[in-house]
Amino acid sequence: MTSETLKYQRKELELKALLEITQAINENKTSSVLLNIFKFTCLVHLNIRSMILYVADQEGYAQSIAHGIKAKVPDKIPLDSVKDDKESGALNIIVEEGYSFAELETYLPVYHKDKMLAILFLKKKDDTLELDLDFTQALTNILVVALENKRFARRQLEQERLKREVEIASNVQRMLFPANLPEGGKLKAKVTYIPHSTVGGDYYDLIRKSEDEVFFCIADVSGKGMPAALLMSNFQAALRTLLRSTSDLKMIVEQLNYTIFENTNGEKFITFFLGYYNYRTRELSYINAGHNAPILCWEGEMRSEKLGAGTTILGAFEALPFMEVGHRAHLKGFSIHLYTDGLTESFNEAGEEYGDERFEKYIKTKLCVDPEIFHKDFFEELDRFSNGKERSDDITLMSLRFQ
């Protein structure tokens, strides 16, 4: 057989190999199918007996194909174990003791835009027959770029899915908050909510059960994103259902705790403060479930106090280990400031925390201030303290003034 005939046959086999792999790519075959087609194409149509293909991922180079190898070779090659020089083609791979590529006679690094995407190790079937290494490298490049494109497409789809989840969670969260707050008369309310990201873990609510009865609450769920938004959605639905049937704070909090524990098996928790004021009896009742203690301001007496009585966080235990319902009587003109820990855990450039004590001192200078003015002045104060330092958590402040 003449050299021209052999050359023609080799080119014909190479063309078959190219057609098979490109057809599989055009048909959008899965990554595993593409790898199998590439392997058998190389073994059938090209002068290759043994081969290993390592494809790059975030951690290094993972073994994707291995055929005809008797020696022990690594499943993974760390990134820092591979030193390559694209210009010279030199490749130095450091492997652990016991591993060896000595059985394979040739290696082909595969590049795309200066990045090494893969390494193909191979051994010829017949030493007397030629193997076109340039073609083999080009064919491998076609495969690896197709695999990289598939991985990129999967990543894009995952990012789109996460984006949709965030949008849904954000919409769910917006629906949790009360659409309107009372702005005068017997009650004036002001809320400032600053989420750290698109979806936060804070929740606040104000429910007027009757002309004389007002419930108000603030909460902070562990975690962020869609799981936190869904948990808070269930929490709000349970709270509003309970409020329609009872005004017993102890029963409400116990049922909320049971609902959270049942839904999360103790893996998530919520800090929560629930208050109830009756205009007719002029009595305030409350339960603080592990939340930052709201601050009650007695306007007539010009003093303030923290509302800490209650129980532990909700969702950590199937049954709450203790419970205390706080009461304050003979109230007429007073304000309450409820907040989440993102407010007091704001830091300045020196790493100093704003802190509860600083917030309490600030409130004592603004005991009888209208909620609108209080929020405007306070957040100017907080901005001066932070001086542009990026916040690390959601911030919620709800101020209520009962008259």
Side-chain angles (χ1 to χ4, degrees), residues 3-99:
S3 60
E4 284 298 318
T5 303
L6 288 172
K7 185 176 180 181
Y8 174 79
Q9 287 180 343
R10 193 189 77 214
K11 289 296 180 185
E12 188 175 30
L13 291 172
E14 287 178 354
L15 181 60
K16 284 183 180 180
L18 180 62
L19 287 174
E20 286 184 13
I21 193 67
T22 54
Q23 184 178 355
I25 291 169
N26 290 334
E27 290 174 357
N28 199 26
K29 300 291 186 183
T30 65
S31 297
S32 59
V33 170
L34 288 180
L35 287 165
N36 276 326
I37 290 173
F38 175 78
K39 179 176 76 171
F40 288 111
T41 295
C42 289
L43 296 174
V44 172
H45 298 312
L46 305 182
N47 184 26
I48 295 175
R49 171 181 293 165
S50 308
M51 62 187 297
I52 307 176
L53 177 66
Y54 288 94
V55 178
D57 59 23
Q58 291 182 342
E59 299 173 355
Y61 295 86
Q63 186 187 115
S64 299
I65 296 174
H67 179 83
I69 310 300
K70 295 178 182 178
K72 189 177 179 182
V73 293
D75 294 326
K76 190 100 172 179
I77 305 173
L79 283 173
D80 57 5
S81 297
V82 179
K83 306 296 180 185
D84 68 300
D85 185 338
K86 186 180 178 183
E87 291 186 5
S88 66
L91 187 68
N92 181 33
I93 300 176
I94 303 169
V95 294
E96 294 180 12
E97 189 175 348
Y99 294 113

Side-chain angles (χ1 to χ4, degrees), residues 36 67 69 84 248 260 262 323 339 353 361 396 403:
N36 276 326
H67 179 83
I69 310 300
D84 68 300
D248 186 331
I260 299 164
E262 189 178 48
M323 176 82 72
Y339 62 99
E353 186 181 69
K361 286 181 179 178
T396 303
Q403 298 186 73

